[in-house]
Amino acid sequence: MAARRALHFVFKVGDRGRSARFYRELLGMSVLRHEEFEEGCKASCNGPYDGKWSKTMVGYGPEDNHFVAELTYNYGIGEYRLGNDFLGITLVSSQAVRNAKKMGWPLKEVTTGIFEAEAPGGYKFYLEDKEQLKQDPVLKVTLGVSDLQKSVNYWSDLLGMKIYEKDEEKQRALLGYADNQCKLELKTVGGAVDHGTAFGRIAFSCAKEEKILTPLVSLDTPGKATVQVIILADPDGHEICFVGDEAFRDLSKVDPNGDKLLDDAMAADNSDKWFAAQKMKKASA
């Protein structure tokens, strides 16, 4: 399964400005591309919403060889309820730790040399206080599961991931498609998995030659490549997106205007001022 690649994790963000500041200024990620859409995604990329939305890809390098974050913003939605499905992303960056301290952003040392920082919306990031790796510094995404063995069987037997570690005592397992890729960590949450309304999605690419037995969905991005995707769900309902690798490499080329497109979109978005003037709050999903 070496041809499969871990691509990104999708976060729903209610405060695009504060989120951009966290990912750019604290984590030190770059805006790789920014796209605006007038109507909901056919594959529910933006969740169960039909209105205007945007997608911003941020990361430490090109999507060809880095695991990145997809920030999905639904106009008019101000906040989402977190569940216990997403447990965190772990990355290596002493610079991010220094940035957080300089910005006065709350940090909690959860174990020696590893700090927890919370992104707007409540998403947790675990920062290893070491010099950033020359390769992708994003080490793993951690998801909550209700039955570790059942989930490991699904991800390894059905989706073909290699099991790197499994700890029955700590009820955790580490899986992945290749040694040099971001890994998937599964941890038992001690009960049912609650996805809240903030539920995310993890994405992988697969070769065009792989046989897919269920219908594919074609997704169009104005002025860019059309990709075909299939959406799966694991035993706990975690959404999984597989996308054709060749077209995705074309779609995901770094846009040098990404920062400007995001900044312009935020400047043109007067929804916060409008709601404030009406003495109203944005909707909570």
Side-chain angles (χ1 to χ4, degrees), residues 56-76:
T56 308
M57 311 302 289
V58 293
Y60 289 109
E63 293 176 66
D64 270 358
N65 50 18
H66 289 77
F67 189 86
V68 308
E70 176 180 319
L71 309 181
T72 294
Y73 173 70
N74 289 293
Y75 284 80

Side-chain angles (χ1 to χ4, degrees), residues 9 83-88 141-148 151 155 171 184-195 234-238:
F9 193 85
N84 60 0
D85 51 347
F86 174 79
L87 300 181
V141 177
T142 305
L143 300 180
V145 300
S146 59
D147 184 322
L148 183 63
S151 293
W155 287 92
Q171 282 290 287
L184 172 67
E185 183 180 47
L186 304 175
K187 292 181 75 172
T188 302
V189 294
V193 173
D194 173 16
H195 295 277
D234 80 349
D236 287 297
H238 289 289

